[in-house]
Amino acid sequence: MAQAGDGSWYAYFAANDMVVKAIAEGISFGTNGTAADALTPNTDDTVYTGATGVVRQSKDLPTTNNNVVGFGASLAEEQWPLIQAFEFAVDGSVTITYSKGGNPQSIALTYLDDPDDYAGLTLDRDSYPPGADVHMTITSMSHNIDPTDEDSWTYETINGTAYYQYFDENGAPSRTTEGRINTDKLNFDDSGSFTIITDPNGKDVLEFTDTNRDQGDASNIGTNIVTILETQPNSGIFKTTDDADNSLIVIADDAKRGFTGTIDFADNPKSVPVRNYPGSLTMDVSGIGGTWNGGETINVTLDDGDLNLNSLVDQDIDITN
């Protein structure tokens, strides 16, 4: 562990076999090598230094002469953050103990290999009017690679091809086609699958729009591109909604009532039906007495679900005669 400038101690560790697989898929874990005794007591373990590709927001460590304080020449400033890779048994227990003045503090973890048990998809409503935003929330700890920063995954949703950090958390281009990830090789199981059927009946139901979630050109990886961004570091919760409460996925303006698109994540398809809502207009006359006099105002309430195009935004409607 290393002490940062804020006084807290930090360490990053991972399962060695999964790190090897992730590196083979093009995810950068920095530079690897056999650890020195100064970095880990077990020289059989592997240390990956300069792991800024998967620990993008590590805490700054105090340094002297370009070396981290307390490590001497064993840990240069540019080698932080580092990841210690250990061999873990599936469903085995991992205990982390901090011996503090004779009063040890311990945290028990379980290394799991069944990500589907922690994956899910929810939509913001059951049906949508034409032109509405479709806000989608994905829960998946498998997609949570970096514990210090919001992870971003971009999918070509026709065939389900996945790209890690194709765009960064600000929507800026981050990688090229080299970011393509075979999630099966990373043991994502069903939680690695994400496809969208936009026109199941030959009529467009779902469309994709530009938001500040993906500001660059992704045409070289295909069409029907959707980027999901983690809501906060280490949460495992991903959304298609940007900072302005706009979604990457919308209902087509000319979508017909009764037609249905499909969003399928982790082999758990969700129907996205198009609906036209009945409207109603009510006037509150309780405060005007028996006669509505000229210049006297009353409250008018319009209830029309077809005008509710974004469930996250308070929308204004201008009505003129």
Side-chain angles (χ1 to χ4, degrees), residues 6 18-19 27 32 34 63-64 72 86 111 126-127 131 136 140 164 169 221-222 236 252 255 265 269 273 284 299 319:
D6 61 3
M18 295 309 302
V19 171
I27 298 178
N32 69 74
T34 302
T63 60
T64 179
F86 302 99
Y111 179 58
D126 296 329
S127 57
M136 180 186 71
S140 174
Y164 179 60
E169 69 270 24
I221 63 174
F265 172 73
D284 183 6
N299 293 323
I319 300 177

Side-chain angles (χ1 to χ4, degrees), residues 275-313:
R275 176 185 175 188
N276 292 120
Y277 295 78
S280 65
L281 185 70
T282 58
M283 297 184 291
D284 183 6
V285 298
S286 60
I288 64 173
T291 304
W292 186 10
N293 300 312
E296 192 173 11
T297 61
I298 63 172
N299 293 323
V300 177
T301 300
L302 173 64
D303 185 353
D304 190 346
D306 289 337
L307 300 178
N308 179 22
L309 300 182
N310 193 325
S311 64
L312 302 184
V313 176

Side-chain angles (χ1 to χ4, degrees), residues 37-317:
D37 289 342
L39 297 181
T40 179
N42 187 351
T43 55
D44 292 333
D45 300 322
T46 303
V47 170
Y48 296 84
T49 59
T52 55
V54 289
V55 186
R56 294 182 293 274
Q57 295 293 330
S58 63
K59 298 293 185 178
D60 293 332
L61 303 183
T63 60
T64 179
N65 297 324
N66 295 323
N67 293 322
V68 175
V69 173
F71 289 86
S74 297
L75 184 60
E77 181 178 6
E78 64 270 15
Q79 291 180 301
W80 179 260
L82 61 85
I83 296 175
Q84 295 165 265
F86 302 99
E87 298 297 333
F88 296 132
V90 175
D91 296 328
S93 179
V94 179
T95 302
I96 303 172
T97 302
Y98 173 48
S99 299
K100 179 183 178 182
N103 183 25
Q105 300 178 14
S106 298
I107 297 176
L109 306 176
T110 302
Y111 179 58
L112 302 175
D113 194 28
D114 47 0
D116 291 346
D117 291 345
Y118 304 91
L121 166 67
T122 58
L123 303 177
D124 61 314
R125 44 183 164 175
D126 296 329
S127 57
Y128 299 82
D133 283 55
V134 179
H135 296 285
M136 180 186 71
T137 301
I138 281 177
T139 302
S140 174
M141 293 309 297
S142 296
H143 290 76
N144 174 32
I145 304 294
D146 186 342
T148 68
D149 197 15
E150 297 92 343
D151 285 306
S152 171
W153 288 82
T154 298
Y155 276 84
E156 203 292 321
T157 58
I158 295 178
N159 54 32
T161 304
Y163 298 82
Y164 179 60
Q165 292 297 122
Y166 192 89
F167 299 102
D168 65 18
E169 69 270 24
N170 297 313
S174 178
R175 302 190 70 174
T176 65
T177 53
E178 299 304 317
R180 180 174 178 173
I181 304 296
N182 185 336
T183 56
D184 287 339
K185 293 185 177 180
L186 299 185
N187 294 359
F188 277 34
D189 295 337
D190 288 338
S191 67
S193 65
F194 178 36
T195 58
I196 297 178
I197 301 175
T198 61
D199 54 350
N201 305 108
K203 301 289 185 180
D204 285 335
V205 173
L206 298 172
E207 293 181 339
F208 306 94
T209 185
D210 293 329
T211 69
N212 61 26
R213 183 67 74 247
D214 56 348
Q215 298 172 345
D217 181 13
S219 59
N220 61 323
I221 63 174
T223 58
N224 293 14
I225 304 300
V226 171
T227 296
I228 56 175
L229 179 67
E230 201 170 13
T231 56
Q232 60 184 8
N234 210 32
S235 69
I237 300 174
F238 296 79
K239 291 181 177 289
T240 56
T241 307
D242 69 6
D243 296 335
D245 290 330
N246 295 315
S247 178
L248 287 164
I249 307 172
V250 298
I251 302 295
D253 289 336
D254 58 353
K256 303 301 182 183
R257 180 183 63 184
F259 285 81
T260 300
T262 302
I263 299 176
D264 190 345
F265 172 73
D267 198 25
N268 178 30
K270 297 284 188 181
S271 296
V272 187
V274 179
R275 176 185 175 188
N276 292 120
Y277 295 78
S280 65
L281 185 70
T282 58
M283 297 184 291
D284 183 6
V285 298
S286 60
I288 64 173
T291 304
W292 186 10
N293 300 312
E296 192 173 11
T297 61
I298 63 172
N299 293 323
V300 177
T301 300
L302 173 64
D303 185 353
D304 190 346
D306 289 337
L307 300 178
N308 179 22
L309 300 182
N310 193 325
S311 64
L312 302 184
V313 176
D314 293 331
Q315 296 168 287
D316 294 324
I317 302 172

